[in-house]
Coordinates of all heavy atoms in Angstrom, one line a residue:
M1360 N -27.8 50.4 -81.6 CA -26.9 49.9 -80.5 C -25.5 50.4 -80.7 O -25.0 50.2 -81.8 CB -27.0 48.4 -80.4 CG -26.1 47.8 -79.4 SD -26.4 46.0 -79.4 CE -25.1 45.5 -78.3
T1361 N -24.9 51.0 -79.7 CA -23.5 51.5 -79.9 C -22.6 50.4 -79.3 O -23.0 49.7 -78.3 CB -23.3 52.8 -79.2 OG1 -23.5 52.7 -77.8 CG2 -24.3 53.9 -79.8
T1362 N -21.4 50.4 -79.8 CA -20.4 49.5 -79.2 C -19.2 50.3 -78.6 O -18.3 49.7 -78.3 CB -19.8 48.6 -80.4 OG1 -19.2 49.5 -81.4 CG2 -20.9 47.7 -80.9
A1363 N -19.4 51.6 -78.5 CA -18.4 52.4 -77.9 C -18.1 51.9 -76.5 O -19.0 51.8 -75.6 CB -18.8 53.9 -77.9
G1364 N -16.8 51.7 -76.2 CA -16.4 51.4 -74.9 C -16.4 49.9 -74.6 O -16.0 49.4 -73.6
L1365 N -16.9 49.0 -75.6 CA -16.9 47.6 -75.4 C -15.5 47.1 -75.8 O -14.8 47.6 -76.7 CB -17.9 47.0 -76.2 CG -19.4 47.3 -75.8 CD1 -20.4 46.7 -76.8 CD2 -19.7 46.9 -74.5
P1366 N -15.0 46.0 -75.1 CA -13.7 45.5 -75.4 C -13.7 45.0 -76.8 O -14.7 44.4 -77.4 CB -13.6 44.2 -74.5 CG -14.6 44.5 -73.4 CD -15.7 45.4 -73.9
G1367 N -12.6 45.3 -77.5 CA -12.4 44.8 -78.9 C -13.1 45.8 -80.0 O -13.1 45.4 -81.1
T1368 N -13.6 46.9 -79.5 CA -14.2 47.8 -80.5 C -13.3 49.1 -80.6 O -12.6 49.4 -79.6 CB -15.6 48.2 -80.1 OG1 -15.6 49.0 -78.8 CG2 -16.5 47.1 -80.0
T1369 N -13.4 49.7 -81.6 CA -12.6 50.9 -81.9 C -13.6 52.1 -81.6 O -14.6 52.1 -82.3 CB -12.0 50.9 -83.2 OG1 -11.3 49.8 -83.4 CG2 -11.2 52.1 -83.5
P1370 N -13.2 53.1 -80.8 CA -14.1 54.3 -80.8 C -14.2 55.0 -82.1 O -13.2 55.1 -82.9 CB -13.5 55.1 -79.7 CG -12.0 54.6 -79.6 CD -12.0 53.2 -80.1
T1371 N -15.4 55.4 -82.4 CA -15.5 56.2 -83.6 C -15.4 57.7 -83.3 O -15.9 58.1 -82.3 CB -16.9 55.9 -84.3 OG1 -17.9 56.2 -83.4 CG2 -16.9 54.4 -84.7
H1372 N -14.9 58.4 -84.2 CA -14.8 59.9 -84.0 C -15.6 60.6 -85.1 O -15.6 60.1 -86.2 CB -13.3 60.4 -84.0 CG -12.5 59.8 -83.0 ND1 -12.5 60.2 -81.7 CD2 -11.6 58.8 -83.0 CE1 -11.7 59.4 -81.0 NE2 -11.1 58.6 -81.8
P1373 N -16.2 61.7 -84.8 CA -16.9 62.4 -85.9 C -15.9 62.8 -87.0 O -14.7 63.0 -86.6 CB -17.6 63.6 -85.2 CG -16.9 63.8 -83.9 CD -16.3 62.4 -83.5
P1374 N -16.4 62.9 -88.2 CA -15.3 63.3 -89.3 C -14.9 64.8 -89.0 O -15.6 65.5 -88.5 CB -16.2 63.2 -90.5 CG -17.6 63.3 -90.1 CD -17.7 62.7 -88.7
A1375 N -13.6 64.9 -89.3 CA -13.0 66.3 -89.2 C -13.7 67.2 -90.2 O -14.0 66.9 -91.3 CB -11.5 66.2 -89.5
T1376 N -14.0 68.4 -89.7 CA -14.7 69.4 -90.5 C -13.7 70.4 -91.0 O -12.7 70.7 -90.3 CB -15.9 70.1 -89.8 OG1 -15.4 70.7 -88.6 CG2 -16.9 69.1 -89.5
A1377 N -13.9 70.9 -92.1 CA -13.0 72.0 -92.6 C -13.3 73.3 -91.9 O -14.4 73.5 -91.4 CB -13.2 72.2 -94.2
P1378 N -12.3 74.1 -91.7 CA -12.5 75.5 -91.1 C -13.5 76.2 -91.9 O -13.6 76.0 -93.1 CB -11.1 76.1 -91.0 CG -10.3 75.3 -92.1 CD -10.9 74.0 -92.2
P1379 N -14.3 77.1 -91.2 CA -15.2 77.9 -92.0 C -14.4 78.7 -93.0 O -13.3 79.2 -92.8 CB -15.9 78.7 -90.9 CG -14.9 78.7 -89.8 CD -14.2 77.5 -89.9
P1380 N -15.1 79.0 -94.1 CA -14.5 79.9 -95.2 C -14.2 81.3 -94.6 O -14.9 81.8 -93.8 CB -15.4 79.9 -96.4 CG -16.8 79.5 -95.7 CD -16.5 78.7 -94.6
V1381 N -13.2 81.9 -95.1 CA -12.9 83.3 -94.8 C -13.5 84.1 -95.8 O -13.3 84.0 -97.0 CB -11.3 83.5 -94.8 CG1 -11.0 85.0 -94.5 CG2 -10.6 82.6 -93.8
L1382 N -14.4 85.0 -95.4 CA -15.0 86.0 -96.3 C -14.6 87.4 -96.0 O -14.9 87.9 -95.0 CB -16.5 85.9 -96.2 CG -17.1 84.4 -96.5 CD1 -18.7 84.5 -96.2 CD2 -16.8 84.1 -97.9
L1383 N -13.9 87.9 -97.0 CA -13.4 89.3 -96.9 C -14.5 90.3 -97.2 O -15.4 90.1 -98.1 CB -12.2 89.5 -97.8 CG -11.0 88.7 -97.6 CD1 -10.0 88.9 -98.7 CD2 -10.4 89.1 -96.2
D1384 N -14.6 91.4 -96.4 CA -15.5 92.4 -96.6 C -14.9 93.5 -97.4 O -14.2 94.3 -96.7 CB -16.2 92.9 -95.3 CG -17.2 93.9 -95.5 OD1 -17.6 94.3 -96.6 OD2 -17.7 94.5 -94.5
W1385 N -15.0 93.6 -98.7 CA -14.4 94.7 -99.4 C -15.6 95.6 -100.0 O -15.7 95.6 -101.2 CB -13.6 94.0 -100.6 CG -12.3 93.5 -100.2 CD1 -11.8 93.4 -98.9 CD2 -11.3 92.9 -101.0 NE1 -10.5 92.8 -98.9 CE2 -10.3 92.4 -100.2 CE3 -11.2 92.6 -102.4 CZ2 -9.1 91.9 -100.7 CZ3 -10.1 92.0 -102.9 CH2 -9.1 91.6 -102.0
H1386 N -16.2 96.3 -99.1 CA -17.3 97.1 -99.6 C -16.9 98.5 -100.2 O -17.6 99.1 -100.9 CB -18.3 97.3 -98.4 CG -17.7 98.1 -97.3 ND1 -17.1 97.4 -96.2 CD2 -17.6 99.4 -97.0 CE1 -16.7 98.3 -95.4 NE2 -16.9 99.5 -95.8
D1387 N -15.7 98.9 -99.9 CA -15.2 100.2 -100.4 C -15.0 100.1 -101.9 O -14.4 99.2 -102.4 CB -13.9 100.5 -99.7 CG -13.5 102.0 -100.0 OD1 -13.5 102.4 -101.1 OD2 -13.2 102.7 -99.0
G1388 N -15.5 101.1 -102.6 CA -15.4 101.1 -104.1 C -13.9 101.1 -104.6 O -13.7 100.8 -105.7
W1389 N -13.0 101.5 -103.7 CA -11.6 101.5 -104.1 C -11.1 100.2 -104.6 O -10.2 100.1 -105.5 CB -10.8 102.0 -103.0 CG -9.3 102.2 -103.4 CD1 -8.7 103.2 -104.0 CD2 -8.2 101.1 -103.2 NE1 -7.4 102.9 -104.2 CE2 -7.1 101.7 -103.7 CE3 -8.3 99.9 -102.6 CZ2 -5.9 101.0 -103.7 CZ3 -7.1 99.2 -102.6 CH2 -5.9 99.7 -103.2
H1390 N -11.7 99.1 -104.0 CA -11.3 97.7 -104.4 C -11.6 97.4 -105.9 O -11.1 96.5 -106.4 CB -12.0 96.7 -103.5 CG -11.5 96.8 -102.1 ND1 -10.2 96.4 -101.8 CD2 -12.0 97.2 -101.0 CE1 -10.0 96.6 -100.4 NE2 -11.1 97.1 -100.0
F1391 N -12.5 98.2 -106.5 CA -12.9 98.0 -107.9 C -12.1 98.8 -108.9 O -12.6 99.2 -110.0 CB -14.4 98.2 -108.0 CG -15.2 97.2 -107.2 CD1 -15.5 97.6 -105.9 CD2 -15.5 95.9 -107.6 CE1 -16.2 96.7 -105.1 CE2 -16.1 95.0 -106.8 CZ -16.6 95.4 -105.6
T1392 N -10.9 99.2 -108.5 CA -10.1 100.1 -109.4 C -8.9 99.3 -110.0 O -8.0 99.9 -110.6 CB -9.6 101.3 -108.6 OG1 -8.7 100.9 -107.6 CG2 -10.7 102.2 -108.1
G1393 N -8.9 98.0 -109.9 CA -7.8 97.2 -110.4 C -8.0 97.2 -112.0 O -8.7 97.9 -112.6
G1394 N -7.3 96.3 -112.7 CA -7.4 96.1 -114.1 C -6.2 95.3 -114.6 O -6.0 95.5 -115.8
G1395 N -5.6 94.6 -113.8 CA -4.5 93.8 -114.3 C -4.7 92.4 -114.1 O -5.8 91.9 -114.1
R1396 N -3.6 91.7 -113.8 CA -3.7 90.2 -113.6 C -3.6 89.9 -112.1 O -2.9 90.5 -111.4 CB -2.5 89.5 -114.2 CG -2.5 89.8 -115.8 CD -2.8 88.5 -116.5 NE -3.0 88.7 -117.9 CZ -3.9 88.0 -118.6 NH1 -4.7 87.1 -118.0 NH2 -4.0 88.2 -119.9
C1397 N -4.4 88.9 -111.7 CA -4.5 88.5 -110.3 C -3.0 88.0 -109.9 O -2.5 87.2 -110.6 CB -5.5 87.4 -110.2 SG -5.6 86.7 -108.5
V1398 N -2.6 88.5 -108.8 CA -1.2 88.0 -108.3 C -1.2 86.6 -107.9 O -0.1 86.0 -107.7 CB -0.7 88.9 -107.2 CG1 -0.5 90.3 -107.6 CG2 -1.6 88.8 -106.0
L1399 N -2.4 86.0 -107.7 CA -2.4 84.5 -107.3 C -2.8 83.6 -108.4 O -2.2 82.5 -108.5 CB -3.5 84.5 -106.2 CG -3.1 85.2 -104.9 CD1 -4.2 85.2 -103.9 CD2 -1.8 84.8 -104.3
C1400 N -3.7 83.9 -109.3 CA -4.1 83.0 -110.4 C -3.7 83.5 -111.8 O -3.8 82.7 -112.7 CB -5.6 82.7 -110.3 SG -6.6 84.0 -111.0
N1401 N -3.2 84.7 -111.9 CA -2.7 85.3 -113.2 C -3.8 85.5 -114.2 O -3.5 85.7 -115.3 CB -1.6 84.5 -113.8 CG -0.7 85.3 -114.7 OD1 -0.6 86.5 -114.5 ND2 -0.2 84.7 -115.7
R1402 N -5.1 85.5 -113.8 CA -6.2 85.8 -114.7 C -6.6 87.3 -114.5 O -6.3 87.9 -113.5 CB -7.4 84.9 -114.5 CG -7.1 83.5 -114.9 CD -8.3 82.6 -114.8 NE -8.9 82.8 -113.4 CZ -9.9 82.1 -113.0 NH1 -10.5 81.2 -113.7 NH2 -10.4 82.4 -111.8
H1403 N -7.2 87.8 -115.5 CA -7.6 89.3 -115.4 C -8.6 89.5 -114.3 O -9.5 88.7 -114.0 CB -8.3 89.7 -116.7 CG -8.8 91.1 -116.7 ND1 -7.9 92.2 -116.8 CD2 -10.0 91.7 -116.6 CE1 -8.6 93.3 -116.8 NE2 -9.9 93.0 -116.6
T1404 N -8.4 90.7 -113.6 CA -9.3 91.0 -112.5 C -9.4 92.5 -112.5 O -8.6 93.3 -112.9 CB -8.8 90.5 -111.1 OG1 -9.8 90.9 -110.1 CG2 -7.5 91.1 -110.8
V1405 N -10.6 93.0 -112.0 CA -10.8 94.4 -111.8 C -10.7 94.8 -110.3 O -10.9 95.9 -109.9 CB -12.2 94.8 -112.3 CG1 -12.2 94.7 -113.8 CG2 -13.3 94.2 -111.6
L1406 N -10.4 93.8 -109.5 CA -10.3 94.0 -108.0 C -8.9 94.3 -107.6 O -8.0 93.9 -108.2 CB -10.9 92.8 -107.2 CG -12.4 92.6 -107.4 CD1 -12.8 91.3 -106.7 CD2 -13.1 93.8 -106.8
R1407 N -8.8 95.0 -106.4 CA -7.5 95.3 -105.8 C -7.5 95.2 -104.3 O -8.5 95.5 -103.7 CB -7.2 96.8 -106.2 CG -5.9 97.3 -105.9 CD -5.7 98.7 -106.3 NE -5.8 98.6 -107.8 CZ -5.0 99.3 -108.6 NH1 -4.1 100.1 -108.2 NH2 -5.1 99.2 -109.9
S1408 N -6.5 94.7 -103.8 CA -6.4 94.5 -102.3 C -6.0 95.8 -101.7 O -5.7 96.8 -102.3 CB -5.3 93.5 -102.0 OG -4.0 94.0 -102.1
H1409 N -6.0 95.9 -100.3 CA -5.7 97.0 -99.6 C -4.3 97.5 -99.9 O -3.9 98.6 -99.8 CB -5.8 96.8 -98.1 CG -7.2 96.7 -97.6 ND1 -8.0 95.6 -97.7 CD2 -8.0 97.7 -97.0 CE1 -9.2 95.9 -97.2 NE2 -9.2 97.1 -96.8
A1410 N -3.4 96.5 -100.2 CA -2.0 96.8 -100.5 C -1.8 97.2 -101.9 O -0.7 97.4 -102.4 CB -1.1 95.6 -100.1
G1411 N -2.9 97.3 -102.7 CA -2.8 97.7 -104.1 C -2.5 96.6 -105.1 O -2.2 96.8 -106.3
E1412 N -2.6 95.3 -104.6 CA -2.3 94.2 -105.5 C -3.6 93.9 -106.3 O -4.7 93.8 -105.6 CB -1.9 92.9 -104.7 CG -0.6 93.1 -103.9 CD -0.4 91.8 -103.1 OE1 -1.0 91.6 -102.1 OE2 0.5 91.0 -103.6
D1413 N -3.5 93.6 -107.6 CA -4.6 93.2 -108.3 C -4.8 91.7 -108.0 O -3.9 90.9 -108.1 CB -4.3 93.3 -109.9 CG -4.2 94.7 -110.3 OD1 -4.9 95.5 -109.7 OD2 -3.5 95.0 -111.3
V1414 N -6.1 91.4 -107.5 CA -6.4 90.1 -106.9 C -7.9 89.8 -106.9 O -8.6 90.8 -106.7 CB -5.7 89.9 -105.6 CG1 -6.3 90.7 -104.5 CG2 -5.8 88.4 -105.1
H1415 N -8.3 88.6 -107.3 CA -9.7 88.3 -107.1 C -10.0 88.2 -105.6 O -9.2 87.7 -104.8 CB -10.0 87.0 -107.8 CG -9.9 87.0 -109.3 ND1 -8.8 86.4 -109.9 CD2 -10.6 87.6 -110.2 CE1 -9.0 86.5 -111.2 NE2 -10.1 87.2 -111.5
K1416 N -11.2 88.6 -105.2 CA -11.6 88.5 -103.8 C -11.6 87.0 -103.4 O -11.1 86.6 -102.3 CB -13.0 89.0 -103.6 CG -13.4 89.0 -102.2 CD -14.7 89.8 -102.0 CE -15.4 89.6 -100.7 NZ -16.1 88.4 -100.5
V1417 N -12.1 86.1 -104.3 CA -12.1 84.6 -104.0 C -10.7 84.1 -103.8 O -10.4 83.3 -102.9 CB -12.9 83.9 -105.1 CG1 -12.7 82.4 -104.9 CG2 -14.3 84.3 -105.1
C1418 N -9.8 84.5 -104.7 CA -8.4 84.1 -104.6 C -7.8 84.5 -103.2 O -7.1 83.8 -102.6 CB -7.6 84.6 -105.7 SG -8.0 83.9 -107.4
A1419 N -8.1 85.8 -102.9 CA -7.5 86.3 -101.6 C -8.1 85.5 -100.4 O -7.4 85.3 -99.5 CB -7.8 87.8 -101.5
E1420 N -9.4 85.2 -100.5 CA -10.1 84.5 -99.4 C -9.5 83.1 -99.3 O -9.2 82.6 -98.1 CB -11.6 84.4 -99.6 CG -12.2 85.7 -99.4 CD -13.7 85.7 -99.9 OE1 -14.1 84.9 -100.7 OE2 -14.4 86.7 -99.6
R1421 N -9.2 82.4 -100.4 CA -8.5 81.1 -100.3 C -7.1 81.2 -99.7 O -6.7 80.4 -99.0 CB -8.5 80.5 -101.7 CG -9.8 80.0 -102.2 CD -9.6 79.3 -103.5 NE -10.9 79.0 -104.0 CZ -11.2 79.1 -105.4 NH1 -10.3 79.4 -106.3 NH2 -12.5 78.8 -105.8
W1422 N -6.4 82.3 -100.1 CA -5.1 82.4 -99.6 C -5.1 82.7 -98.1 O -4.2 82.1 -97.4 CB -4.4 83.6 -100.3 CG -2.9 83.8 -99.9 CD1 -1.9 83.3 -100.7 CD2 -2.4 84.5 -98.8 NE1 -0.7 83.6 -100.0 CE2 -1.0 84.3 -98.9 CE3 -2.9 85.2 -97.8 CZ2 -0.1 84.9 -98.0 CZ3 -2.1 85.7 -96.8 CH2 -0.7 85.6 -96.9
V1423 N -6.0 83.5 -97.7 CA -6.1 83.7 -96.2 C -6.4 82.4 -95.5 O -5.8 82.2 -94.4 CB -7.2 84.8 -95.9 CG1 -7.5 84.9 -94.4 CG2 -6.7 86.1 -96.4
Q1424 N -7.3 81.6 -96.0 CA -7.7 80.3 -95.3 C -6.5 79.4 -95.3 O -6.3 78.6 -94.3 CB -8.8 79.7 -96.1 CG -9.4 78.5 -95.3 CD -10.7 78.0 -95.9 OE1 -11.0 78.5 -97.0 NE2 -11.4 77.2 -95.2
R1425 N -5.6 79.4 -96.3 CA -4.5 78.5 -96.4 C -3.2 79.1 -95.7 O -2.3 78.3 -95.5 CB -4.1 78.3 -97.8 CG -5.1 77.5 -98.6 CD -4.8 77.4 -100.1 NE -5.9 76.6 -100.7 CZ -6.1 76.6 -102.1 NH1 -5.3 77.4 -102.8 NH2 -7.1 76.0 -102.6
N1426 N -3.3 80.3 -95.3 CA -2.1 80.9 -94.6 C -2.7 81.6 -93.3 O -2.6 82.8 -93.2 CB -1.5 82.0 -95.5 CG -0.9 81.3 -96.7 OD1 0.3 80.7 -96.7 ND2 -1.6 81.3 -97.9
P1427 N -3.2 80.9 -92.4 CA -3.7 81.5 -91.1 C -2.6 82.3 -90.4 O -1.5 81.9 -90.4 CB -4.1 80.3 -90.3 CG -3.5 79.1 -90.9 CD -3.1 79.4 -92.3
G1428 N -3.0 83.4 -89.8 CA -2.1 84.2 -89.1 C -1.3 85.3 -89.9 O -0.6 86.1 -89.3
K1429 N -1.4 85.1 -91.2 CA -0.8 86.1 -92.1 C -1.8 87.2 -92.5 O -3.0 86.9 -92.6 CB -0.2 85.4 -93.3 CG 0.8 84.3 -92.9 CD 1.9 84.2 -93.7 CE 2.9 83.2 -93.1 NZ 3.9 82.9 -94.0
D1430 N -1.4 88.4 -92.7 CA -2.4 89.5 -92.9 C -2.1 90.1 -94.3 O -2.2 91.4 -94.5 CB -2.4 90.5 -91.9 CG -1.1 91.2 -91.6 OD1 0.0 90.8 -92.3 OD2 -1.0 92.1 -90.8
R1431 N -1.8 89.4 -95.3 CA -1.5 89.9 -96.6 C -2.8 90.5 -97.2 O -2.8 91.6 -97.8 CB -1.0 88.9 -97.6 CG -0.8 89.3 -99.0 CD -0.3 88.2 -99.9 NE 0.0 88.7 -101.2 CZ 0.6 87.9 -102.2 NH1 0.7 86.6 -101.9 NH2 0.8 88.4 -103.4
F1432 N -3.9 89.9 -97.0 CA -5.3 90.4 -97.4 C -6.1 90.5 -96.2 O -6.2 89.6 -95.4 CB -5.9 89.3 -98.4 CG -5.0 89.1 -99.6 CD1 -4.5 87.9 -99.8 CD2 -4.8 90.0 -100.5 CE1 -3.6 87.6 -100.9 CE2 -4.0 89.8 -101.6 CZ -3.4 88.6 -101.8
V1433 N -6.8 91.7 -96.1 CA -7.6 92.0 -94.9 C -8.9 92.6 -95.4 O -9.1 93.0 -96.5 CB -6.9 93.0 -94.0 CG1 -5.6 92.4 -93.4 CG2 -6.6 94.3 -94.7
S1434 N -9.9 92.5 -94.4 CA -11.2 93.1 -94.7 C -11.2 94.7 -94.5 O -10.3 95.1 -93.8 CB -12.3 92.5 -93.8 OG -12.6 91.2 -94.2
D1435 N -12.2 95.4 -95.1 CA -12.4 96.8 -94.7 C -12.8 96.9 -93.3 O -13.3 96.0 -92.7 CB -13.4 97.4 -95.6 CG -13.1 97.4 -97.1 OD1 -11.9 97.4 -97.3 OD2 -13.9 97.6 -97.9
L1436 N -12.5 98.0 -92.7 CA -12.9 98.3 -91.3 C -14.5 98.3 -91.3 O -15.1 98.7 -92.3 CB -12.4 99.7 -90.8 CG -10.9 99.7 -90.6 CD1 -10.5 101.1 -90.3 CD2 -10.4 98.7 -89.6
P1437 N -15.1 97.9 -90.3 CA -16.6 97.9 -90.2 C -17.1 99.3 -90.4 O -16.5 100.2 -89.8 CB -16.9 97.3 -88.8 CG -15.6 96.9 -88.1 CD -14.5 97.5 -89.0
R1438 N -18.2 99.4 -91.0 CA -18.9 100.7 -91.1 C -19.5 101.1 -89.8 O -20.0 100.3 -89.1 CB -20.0 100.6 -92.2 CG -19.5 100.3 -93.6 CD -20.6 100.4 -94.6 NE -20.0 100.1 -95.9 CZ -20.9 100.1 -97.0 NH1 -22.2 100.3 -96.8 NH2 -20.3 99.9 -98.2
G1439 N -19.4 102.3 -89.5 CA -20.0 102.9 -88.3 C -21.5 103.0 -88.4 O -22.1 103.1 -89.5
R1440 N -22.2 102.9 -87.4 CA -23.7 103.0 -87.3 C -24.1 104.4 -87.6 O -23.4 105.4 -87.1 CB -24.3 102.5 -86.1 CG -24.2 101.1 -85.9 CD -24.9 100.6 -84.6 NE -25.0 99.2 -84.5 CZ -25.7 98.6 -83.6 NH1 -26.3 99.2 -82.7 NH2 -25.7 97.3 -83.6
R1441 N -25.1 104.6 -88.4 CA -25.6 106.0 -88.7 C -26.5 106.3 -87.5 O -27.3 105.5 -87.0 CB -26.3 106.0 -90.0 CG -25.4 105.7 -91.1 CD -26.1 105.9 -92.4 NE -25.3 105.6 -93.5 CZ -25.6 105.9 -94.8 NH1 -26.6 106.5 -95.1 NH2 -24.7 105.6 -95.7
R1442 N -26.4 107.6 -87.2 CA -27.3 108.1 -86.2 C -28.7 108.4 -86.7 O -28.8 108.8 -87.8 CB -26.8 109.4 -85.6 CG -25.5 109.2 -84.7 CD -25.0 110.4 -84.1 NE -24.3 111.1 -85.2 CZ -23.8 112.3 -85.0 NH1 -24.1 113.0 -84.0 NH2 -23.1 112.9 -86.0
A1443 N -29.7 108.2 -85.9 CA -31.1 108.5 -86.4 C -31.2 110.0 -86.7 O -30.7 110.8 -86.0 CB -32.1 108.1 -85.3
G1444 N -31.8 110.2 -87.8 CA -32.1 111.6 -88.3 C -30.9 112.2 -89.0 O -30.9 113.4 -89.4
A1445 N -29.8 111.5 -89.2 CA -28.6 112.0 -89.9 C -28.7 111.8 -91.3 O -29.3 110.9 -91.8 CB -27.3 111.4 -89.3

């Protein structure tokens, strides 16, 4: 039995959900040419962003989620479809 809309009751709202995680697509091998310290967590990483910053992909994804609308870290361009017989 629901009490929504009855006098003296408080409407219930579904719990707020977190935004979906941002998953960067870094399929290009160039991203694996790092070898320094992550600019965000300062631990060793072999990954590199498009801008050449040494950064873990997970750290970059968290940064993107926490800074919506900013484009410091971006995904690779989508791969084109291969033609049949090519």
Side-chain angles (χ1 to χ4, degrees):
M1360 176 177 173
T1361 65
T1362 58
L1365 296 177
T1368 62
T1369 305
T1371 58
H1372 299 285
T1376 57
V1381 175
L1382 300 177
L1383 296 173
D1384 180 4
W1385 284 1
H1386 62 270
D1387 191 311
W1389 183 85
H1390 291 289
F1391 297 94
T1392 61
R1396 298 254 175 214
C1397 175
V1398 297
L1399 299 175
C1400 75
N1401 202 34
R1402 292 184 310 184
H1403 179 74
T1404 182
V1405 297
L1406 292 174
R1407 184 176 299 222
S1408 73
H1409 286 81
E1412 295 179 285
D1413 291 330
V1414 64
H1415 295 106
K1416 183 173 170 281
V1417 172
C1418 291
E1420 290 169 343
R1421 286 183 189 146
W1422 188 92
V1423 170
Q1424 190 169 12
R1425 293 176 183 161
N1426 297 278
K1429 304 216 175 169
D1430 60 355
R1431 180 178 183 181
F1432 304 110
V1433 296
S1434 287
D1435 290 344
L1436 294 174
R1438 291 182 181 183
R1440 290 187 170 183
R1441 294 184 182 195
R1442 289 182 279 172

